[in-house]
Amino acid sequence: MDKIKIIDLYSQHLRIKSELDSAIDQVIQESQFIRGRHVREFKVNLEKYLNVPHVIPCGNGTDALQIALMALDLPKNAKVIVPTFNYVAGAEVCALLGLKPVFVEVDEGTFTVTADEIEKVITPQTKAVIVVHLYGQCADMEPILKLCQGKNLFVIEDTAQALGAEYMFPNGESKKAGTMGHIGTTSFFPTKCLGCMGDGGAIFTSDEGLANYMRQIAFHGQKKKYQYELIGINSRLDTIQAAILDVKLKYLDEYIETRNKNANFYKEAFANHSEIVTPEIQDSSTHVFHQYTVKVKNRSKLIHKLEHADVPYQVYYPSPLHLEKAFSYLGYKEGDFPISEKLCKEIISLPIHTELSEEQLNYIAKVVVE
Ligand SMILES: *Cc1c(COP(=O)(O)O)cnc(C)c1O
């Protein structure tokens, strides 16, 4: 059996190497390395895939969040709600822009935020919510959208881990992750479900005014070259990365299907073992399984076993953001978000990538069950 990897980008690459090589070659031949037709073509194809009128490619997923927040023109010190059980990006850009991150608890089963938890931390200064579709499944958006509409709050969806996931509304309508709130953001970091060979990101919206504004912000505040109407930033998706992503976008649904197959395999393998709590999947959302994260009571024992058996694992995330030093100025303390604090001690992510063999899956499951 080949050595198991937490993610196997090279094997995935080899399957479509000739297509990728020719896409990269084309960019080199045309030598337009910034902007140009490949960025435009990928943008249009992603708009079609997501069924959203405006996609704005940008430098990475963190920039996408920053541009989204800048476009909302919130007053200084306005409060923005972000989950504490999360990657740092959302809270970080709030702080950088002079906004106040307000942390919110997540649901213990789905790891995502809920309308009930959001409602608890809303104050008159709250202006926006960053909903994170963590690990690959949509938060329960219908009640969240209703709540935020009633309270006049902007909704940004961080779709870095859930590109391609689909949410089903009670009326039967379904929408792709990132296209339900005012603005959606994503990352094409190499390990994401749709990853490039470096950094990349994108922003989505149905609002034409916001789309134009965000395009301008990402372009040094220019609508026309050398006319600076506002202070912007420089955030672009490299042309080579766009060409790569345009090839890989065609395979995204296939990748998601394989990840789901692997997740089903684990679910069955762990079904009779109550010490291993497998991820809860809501009826209202599909899951793209960016991560396959289980909960175990005795994690250090499992880690010891996995290391001994040469099975890679990750802990996303070892600590909730409200207890991180960078956010200590906000005054949170241990015990403020007990579910997130507990999750950080119990969660562990197993390999779920598209290149796992049946033999490897069997081996991982056997080691975990033991
Ligand atoms: C990866 C990730 C980001 C940041 O993306 P970058 O491209 O690395 O800047 C933001 N939010 C979440 C939830 C992520 O997983």
Side-chain angles (χ1 to χ4, degrees):
M1 187 180 71
D2 290 336
K3 189 174 156 65
I4 301 169
K5 297 178 179 155
I6 190 76
I7 182 126
D8 188 354
L9 296 176
Y10 188 57
S11 301
Q12 196 187 53
H13 177 88
L14 287 181
R15 286 173 190 261
I16 52 171
K17 183 172 184 311
S18 62
E19 270 185 276
L20 290 168
D21 283 351
S22 93
I24 294 167
D25 262 355
Q26 261 177 33
V27 177
I28 296 171
Q29 271 175 40
E30 293 163 18
S31 284
Q32 183 170 9
F33 295 111
I34 300 292
R35 302 185 186 275
R37 74 172 178 100
H38 297 277
V39 180
R40 266 194 318 274
E41 283 164 16
F42 171 61
K43 164 195 141 65
V44 169
N45 287 329
L46 189 56
E47 284 167 355
K48 275 188 208 144
Y49 177 82
L50 294 171
N51 193 21
V52 72
H54 308 283
V55 164
I56 300 149
C58 67
N60 57 64
T62 309
D63 276 7
L65 285 164
Q66 177 171 343
I67 295 161
L69 278 170
M70 286 171 78
L72 299 182
D73 276 334
L74 303 179
K76 220 171 164 49
N77 286 318
K79 293 182 177 174
V80 178
I81 296 173
V82 284
T84 184
F85 186 69
N86 185 21
Y87 186 62
V88 70
E92 176 183 59
V93 295
C94 285
L96 276 174
L97 294 173
L99 304 167
K100 189 166 181 213
V102 172
F103 291 118
V104 63
E105 186 66 285
V106 297
D107 179 76
E108 187 162 9
T110 62
F111 310 108
T112 54
V113 295
T114 62
D116 288 347
E117 292 295 344
I118 291 170
E119 191 160 21
K120 285 184 202 165
V121 295
I122 293 176
T123 68
Q125 291 80 43
T126 308
K127 300 292 178 205
V129 182
I130 299 177
V131 175
V132 181
H133 302 311
L134 203 73
Y135 298 152
Q137 136 171 261
C138 295
D140 193 11
M141 287 302 284
E142 204 262 345
I144 294 175
L145 292 171
K146 223 180 237 167
L147 170 71
C148 292
Q149 205 168 30
K151 303 270 182 188
N152 239 329
L153 304 179
F154 288 108
V155 177
I156 296 175
E157 296 172 74
D158 181 345
T159 314
Q161 301 191 4
L163 194 69
E166 195 144 339
Y167 181 81
M168 280 72 74
F169 286 87
N171 67 2
E173 191 191 4
S174 72
K175 284 190 177 179
K176 283 272 191 331
T179 67
M180 296 173 269
H182 297 87
I183 304 174
T185 65
T186 202
S187 162
F188 304 120
F189 188 84
T191 60
K192 310 281 180 183
C193 290
L194 179 62
C196 57
M197 297 188 198
D199 273 312
I203 311 161
F204 332 127
T205 185
S206 301
D207 183 318
E208 194 178 349
L210 269 178
N212 290 332
Y213 194 29
M214 291 193 287
R215 222 172 273 122
Q216 187 177 0
I217 290 171
F219 187 43
H220 291 296
Q222 307 166 106
K223 264 189 209 138
K224 284 207 187 106
K225 222 170 175 185
Y226 308 126
Q227 290 181 15
Y228 311 103
E229 294 179 11
L230 49 94
I231 304 291
I233 64 170
N234 175 28
S235 188
R236 300 181 287 234
L237 179 66
D238 280 356
T239 311
I240 282 191
Q241 302 302 346
I244 291 164
L245 287 165
D246 206 27
V247 171
K248 290 183 79 177
L249 179 59
K250 288 184 293 201
Y251 297 94
L252 178 58
D253 283 341
E254 202 181 303
Y255 294 156
I256 292 171
E257 203 184 307
T258 309
R259 286 171 178 273
N260 270 276
K261 266 193 205 138
N262 294 345
N264 282 333
F265 173 88
Y266 283 137
K267 190 179 170 190
E268 277 178 29
F270 302 148
N272 297 319
H273 301 275
S274 58
E275 315 91 316
I276 311 163
V277 182
T278 56
E280 186 180 316
I281 306 171
Q282 307 164 84
D283 292 337
S284 57
S285 176
T286 63
H287 204 313
V288 303
F289 287 103
H290 169 64
Q291 298 299 341
Y292 188 82
T293 304
V294 298
K295 289 179 282 191
V296 288
K297 282 278 179 297
N298 196 340
R299 188 172 65 190
S300 54
K301 198 169 141 202
L302 176 59
I303 285 178
H304 183 77
K305 193 89 192 153
L306 291 172
E307 283 176 353
H308 195 72
D310 221 5
V311 174
Y313 63 89
Q314 289 284 349
V315 173
Y316 302 106
Y317 299 91
S319 147
L321 295 174
H322 71 278
L323 299 181
E324 284 294 310
K325 188 173 165 204
F327 298 103
S328 60
Y329 73 98
L330 294 169
Y332 290 101
K333 57 185 188 315
E334 202 158 347
D336 283 346
F337 300 102
I339 294 173
S340 295
E341 291 168 23
K342 185 163 149 250
L343 286 176
C344 288
K345 296 191 178 93
E346 294 181 352
I347 39 126
I348 183 160
S349 301
L350 301 173
I352 183 83
H353 63 80
T354 54
E355 310 307 311
L356 288 166
S357 68
E358 223 177 286
E359 190 187 11
Q360 289 176 323
L361 284 165
N362 274 309
Y363 178 76
I364 297 167
K366 192 180 109 233
V367 172
V368 173
V369 166
E370 262 175 32

